[in-house]
Amino acid sequence: MSVSSIPAFPTTVPTPGQTQDIGDLAFAVALLQMQMIDGEISDRLNIVKQINEVRKAYGERISRINEMIKGMNGSEGWVPVEQAQSVRYEWDPDAAGGRGAVVEVTDGTSIAGSQFRLRHPDGRAVTEGELDAARERRDARPWFLTEFLSRFRPQEFRSRSEAEAAAALLGGGVTVEVKVSKESLQAQIDTIRDKMDGLGSDTEMGMLQINRLLNRRNQGLQLASNVMSSVHQSAMGIINNIKV
């Protein structure tokens, strides 16, 4: 239902000379239209609430990115690959058991960075050379050959898929990190803020629509009150005529 689809309120009120049935009908129409407006207001309020929840998720995303920036010593740093994705947030009415919730959607595109490495649960960075050395030790290769190979092999993985495959091979909670720049993270914050500004405009528009509906509702209350007053005056006129 849209605001424009709600019928207009009657503009006339029964006079003492009209019948009781006409007054009752006008009163019933006014109440029905108020119920329709109440439903529309409820729908609009739910939409505004959903938009605000999405904006909140984007705000939390900005806070996480700022924490990553603060954790960098220089212009670049290593961050979990999941936190370096271009994501968007949207309201999914089927989430949370049908109650609806904000969900994160990603296309798998990294914000920036082409160097990857692994992070062990104990906080130790695991590079490609160390991973190869671990494999060779399991193969009972001589320790000096292991050291030689690990020293001269690349220290980072060349692609995310390569790093993720290595993480899966090691297991035990090993995760993938990507090297990103502060500049790329700040650009992501700017993009998110643009999305939040757009959502803020949607919220303002929704509140304007709600205010218009509230005004229509107040008009309906006034109409119902006028109808009741008119019916009461008609009844009192009949009673007075009977007394005479």
Side-chain angles (χ1 to χ4, degrees):
M1 181 191 300
S2 63
V3 178
S4 60
S5 67
I6 299 175
F9 287 116
T11 57
T12 60
V13 176
T15 63
Q18 291 178 305
T19 65
Q20 185 78 19
D21 290 342
I22 294 177
D24 291 343
L25 178 60
F27 183 71
V29 170
L31 290 181
L32 177 61
Q33 290 175 328
M34 286 176 59
Q35 290 176 352
M36 294 170 65
I37 289 179
D38 284 344
E40 184 73 10
I41 290 174
S42 178
D43 291 342
R44 295 292 180 185
L45 286 173
N46 284 332
I47 292 174
V48 170
K49 177 183 176 182
Q50 293 165 11
I51 292 174
N52 287 334
E53 289 294 322
V54 173
R55 292 187 75 223
K56 179 181 176 182
Y58 276 120
E60 292 172 350
R61 173 72 174 171
I62 288 178
S63 296
R64 291 195 296 270
I65 295 176
N66 278 325
E67 287 299 318
M68 289 189 284
I69 292 175
K70 291 178 182 178
M72 294 181 180
N73 294 325
S75 61
E76 292 182 319
W78 294 94
V79 300
V81 70
E82 294 81 7
Q83 295 296 323
Q85 303 302 301
S86 298
V87 300
R88 72 176 189 275
Y89 295 97
E90 58 187 39
W91 183 266
D92 183 356
D94 297 324
R99 297 189 302 273
V102 176
V103 296
E104 182 178 283
V105 182
T106 179
D107 58 5
T109 302
S110 179
I111 293 175
S114 58
Q115 292 176 288
F116 299 85
R117 72 178 186 185
L118 307 184
R119 171 68 63 176
H120 194 272
D122 63 8
R124 174 174 54 89
V126 181
T127 63
E128 185 176 7
E130 292 169 347
L131 176 60
D132 289 336
R135 291 174 180 169
E136 288 156 358
R137 279 195 293 273
R138 286 197 297 270
D139 294 338
R141 299 256 183 118
W143 67 268
F144 56 86
L145 179 59
T146 294
E147 293 298 323
F148 176 82
L149 292 174
S150 64
R151 185 173 302 174
F152 288 95
R153 286 180 179 175
Q155 292 300 296
E156 282 88 31
F157 295 90
R158 293 173 293 275
S159 68
R160 177 180 176 181
S161 59
E162 187 178 85
E164 288 177 339
L169 177 65
L170 288 180
V174 174
T175 56
V176 179
E177 292 181 329
V178 61
K179 181 180 283 188
V180 296
S181 66
K182 288 183 178 180
E183 183 180 358
S184 63
L185 292 177
Q186 187 58 54
Q188 181 69 5
I189 289 177
D190 295 339
T191 299
I192 292 174
R193 283 178 175 158
D194 289 341
K195 293 179 180 179
M196 292 180 69
D197 289 342
L199 292 171
S201 298
D202 292 342
T203 298
E204 291 177 3
M205 182 63 67
M207 293 306 300
L208 288 174
Q209 293 172 338
I210 290 172
N211 286 333
R212 284 197 291 267
L213 288 168
L214 287 172
N215 289 335
R216 301 266 316 262
R217 190 181 190 281
N218 290 334
Q219 292 174 6
L221 285 172
Q222 185 62 48
L223 174 63
S225 177
N226 292 342
V227 170
M228 292 177 66
S229 176
S230 177
V231 171
H232 174 73
Q233 291 175 8
S234 298
M236 292 303 298
I238 294 174
I239 291 174
N240 289 333
N241 289 333
I242 293 176
K243 287 182 179 179
V244 174

